[in-house]
Amino acid sequence: MTTPSPALQTTPQPSPHDALAHEFVAFAVEAGVLRFGEFRTKAGRLSPYFFNAGLFDDGAKLGRLAEFYARRLAASGLSFDLLFGPAYKGIALAAAVAMEFARRGRNVPYAYNRKEAKDHGEGGSLVGAKMAGRVVIVDDVMSAGTSVLESVAMIEVAGAMPVGVAIALDRQERTGGEAGEGSHSAVQFVQSELGLQVCAIATLDDLLQYLAQGADPALSEYLPHVQAYRDRYGV
């Protein structure tokens, strides 16, 4: 049997949503949201790339981002009645995705939470549509799953049913600190322990595939660094 060369062994395999993911990665790079270099993550790891969804910071970029979320959710087959945006980044995301669905002919209600409950006016910590039916949580990325756990608790207390989470990028890395001591990723935890479907527009494997294809020659030098990071911390 012929042993594959190391280069072939590390080549990312195409994903089922290859075209949409590739388009999204290219958009994130162009928008300056996906950057390469050396960045310290919240877990203390040195990452060769950084994804900052807060830089989708104008109407055109946010509108296009919402289009990617809507396309991914539509393709997932997930049935839902309401979008929920956890404070703070999820608020704008859920609103934008609801607007995109309306543009596509489906009027989906959305709601979000306040960080601190309001004790006057309508009161409470939830704002927007009445929490009911099957709910999808809309957020940017998932680091430890803490935001999802908090959102699930709020949704269930309000009498609705959380069924899924939509995120922009699945980093596909183990939880834990710099040593990468975790055995699973936050996405895997949410799927296996909470029973929620996770719809990611793109994954780290999609990012590797984008770099490997040489779509942007200026970024080719980062491929071995991102692959090494995937090999060390990936799931």
Side-chain angles (χ1 to χ4, degrees), residues 78-137:
L78 181 62
S79 174
F80 62 93
D81 307 298
L82 182 140
L83 300 171
F84 177 76
Y88 289 104
K89 285 183 181 176
I91 297 175
L93 293 175
V97 176
M99 292 174 68
E100 175 61 20
F101 270 111
R103 190 184 72 81
R104 291 166 172 261
R106 182 185 175 192
N107 192 21
V108 182
Y110 79 97
Y112 59 92
N113 69 295
R114 299 185 178 95
K115 283 288 189 179
E116 296 180 3
K118 189 176 179 182
D119 59 5
H120 61 280
E122 73 275 19
S125 60
L126 296 177
V127 184
K130 177 179 173 57
M131 199 73 75
R134 297 164 61 87
V135 181
V136 166
I137 300 162

Side-chain angles (χ1 to χ4, degrees), residues 15-96:
S15 61
H17 45 268
D18 184 55
L20 177 59
H22 182 96
E23 186 182 343
F24 175 72
V25 172
F27 164 57
V29 170
E30 179 186 353
V33 171
L34 183 56
R35 300 180 178 185
F36 299 88
E38 188 172 90
F39 307 92
R40 180 75 65 177
T41 70
K42 187 183 293 186
R45 300 168 182 170
L46 278 178
S47 172
Y49 74 98
F50 183 60
F51 182 84
N52 183 2
L55 295 176
F56 289 117
D57 54 8
D58 62 37
K61 286 184 283 193
L62 184 60
R64 187 144 184 237
L65 174 62
E67 179 187 345
F68 281 108
Y69 272 102
R71 289 167 64 188
R72 173 60 69 238
L73 280 168
S76 73
L78 181 62
S79 174
F80 62 93
D81 307 298
L82 182 140
L83 300 171
F84 177 76
Y88 289 104
K89 285 183 181 176
I91 297 175
L93 293 175

Side-chain angles (χ1 to χ4, degrees), residues 143-223:
S143 299
T146 306
S147 175
V148 175
L149 283 168
E150 293 173 350
S151 297
V152 165
M154 286 184 280
I155 292 167
E156 291 181 338
V157 166
M161 178 190 299
V163 294
V165 185
I167 56 175
L169 180 70
D170 178 3
R171 288 181 62 98
Q172 294 181 296
E173 63 183 78
R174 298 191 303 277
T175 56
E178 188 176 356
E181 63 270 19
S183 60
H184 58 265
S185 71
V187 167
Q188 289 175 327
F189 169 78
V190 167
Q191 291 173 322
S192 62
E193 300 300 320
L194 302 183
L196 303 181
Q197 181 173 335
V198 178
C199 303
I201 302 172
T203 67
L204 180 53
D205 282 344
D206 294 314
L207 169 54
L208 280 165
Q209 186 179 338
Y210 175 85
L211 294 174
Q213 289 175 346
D216 188 338
L219 300 179
S220 299
E221 65 179 284
Y222 296 107
L223 175 59

